[in-house]
Amino acid sequence: MAVKDRDRFSTATRIRLLGEQTAARVYRSQTRRQARRSRLTGRAALLALVMCTLIVALAYPMREYVSQQAEIDDLQREQQQARQRVERLRDQKARWQDDAYAEQQIRQRLHYVMPGETGFIVVDPHAARQSHAVLGTADRPWYANVWDGVDKSDASAR
């Protein structure tokens, strides 16, 4: 027994036992990691596959939903604008049904006067020059362009 006890306490025996224990620990940890890794990798791959499938399956319907909601908003805005325009036109029609309003507009726009009244139109020479300068030749009526040509030729003759 003395040989066994001596062998047990020898440095070489202790190093060998320590190496075996360390190898057993490393082997156990590697098998655990491999078991965990393989188990998690399969689950992770399945989860990733399911998530990708859901994303692909829901991408087109969500895009269509968003575009349809934008189109609905545009149509509602157009409908509101059309309603407002109809209201303005109804108000204008109601105003034209009133004889006093119609008479006022006829006098103002067409320069009509009632029998016995004298109509005057005051022409401001500065306003005429400004209106001719502001409007281009294409924007004015043809007779205004002819008259301007006559004025220019008359002014150059002086």
Side-chain angles (χ1 to χ4, degrees):
M1 262 245 239
V3 177
K4 280 188 176 181
D5 284 338
R6 199 173 26 145
D7 233 11
R8 188 173 128 203
F9 292 113
S10 73
T11 307
T13 306
R14 278 192 271 164
I15 290 176
R16 189 172 22 101
L17 283 175
L18 191 61
E20 289 173 0
Q21 289 172 354
T22 306
R25 283 187 204 143
V26 168
Y27 178 73
R28 273 187 277 155
S29 66
Q30 284 178 350
T31 56
R32 283 185 202 155
R33 283 188 201 143
Q34 287 175 352
R36 281 188 207 146
R37 188 178 303 144
S38 64
R39 217 174 57 210
L40 279 177
T41 304
R43 287 181 183 172
L46 182 62
L47 180 63
L49 180 65
V50 168
M51 293 299 291
C52 288
T53 304
L54 286 174
I55 289 171
V56 169
L58 294 177
Y60 182 74
M62 286 303 294
R63 185 174 66 108
E64 287 298 312
Y65 174 77
V66 169
S67 67
Q68 286 175 359
Q69 286 298 319
E71 187 176 347
I72 287 170
D73 292 341
D74 290 341
L75 291 173
Q76 286 175 345
R77 190 176 323 107
E78 287 178 16
Q79 183 181 22
Q80 183 65 25
Q81 290 172 352
R83 283 184 182 148
Q84 290 172 353
R85 185 168 185 266
V86 166
E87 280 299 315
R88 283 194 311 267
L89 290 173
R90 283 186 183 153
D91 291 344
Q92 188 177 9
K93 181 181 175 185
R95 273 188 264 136
W96 278 101
Q97 297 297 323
D98 183 22
D99 291 335
Y101 179 79
E103 182 181 328
Q104 175 194 11
Q105 292 299 314
I106 290 169
R107 285 172 161 251
Q108 182 182 5
R109 293 181 184 189
L110 302 176
H111 305 289
Y112 278 19
V113 293
M114 297 300 285
E117 293 179 352
T118 305
F120 293 99
I121 297 178
V122 179
V123 178
D124 183 16
H126 298 292
R129 286 186 199 137
Q130 288 175 354
S131 67
H132 290 304
V134 171
L135 292 176
T137 57
D139 296 332
R140 298 183 342 198
W142 65 272
Y143 52 83
N145 293 334
V146 170
W147 191 251
D148 284 344
V150 171
D151 284 341
K152 286 179 186 175
S153 66
D154 186 39
S156 64
R158 291 183 193 178

